[in-house]
Amino acid sequence: MSDACTYCGSDVSDHDPVFVEEGTGDGRQEAGQFCNYACLSAQIDDTDLTTGACCRIDLGG
Ligand SMILES: [Zn+2]
C-alpha cells in the first residue's frame, strides 16, 4: 500500500498519520490516509463529504 496522503500526496509516515475506514455491508474498507487531521479536514472540505450527512436525527420537537 502506498504511503501517499490522500489529500496532498506527501508520505504520511513522515507526519502524524490519520487513517479513515468506511463501513460496508459486511466490514470496513479503507477510505483514505492523511498526514494529520489538517489534511483530513481539508479533504472533507474539498470534497463536500459532510454535505447532507448528519448522524443526528431531527425529531421536529
Ligand atoms: Zn497530507
Side-chain angles (χ1 to χ4, degrees):
M1 189 179 82
S2 169
D3 287 334
C5 172
T6 300
Y7 178 69
C8 74
S10 294
D11 186 340
V12 298
S13 63
D14 287 344
H15 303 278
D16 187 15
V18 177
F19 299 91
V20 177
E21 292 182 331
E22 289 182 348
T24 62
D26 50 15
R28 294 185 292 184
Q29 78 176 27
E30 292 175 18
Q33 57 188 6
F34 303 89
C35 303
N36 47 45
Y37 282 107
C39 278
L40 172 57
S41 178
Q43 173 76 355
I44 290 171
D45 286 347
D46 280 6
T47 56
D48 288 332
L49 283 178
T50 59
T51 299
C54 183
C55 63
R56 284 181 291 180
I57 298 172
D58 182 0
L59 296 177

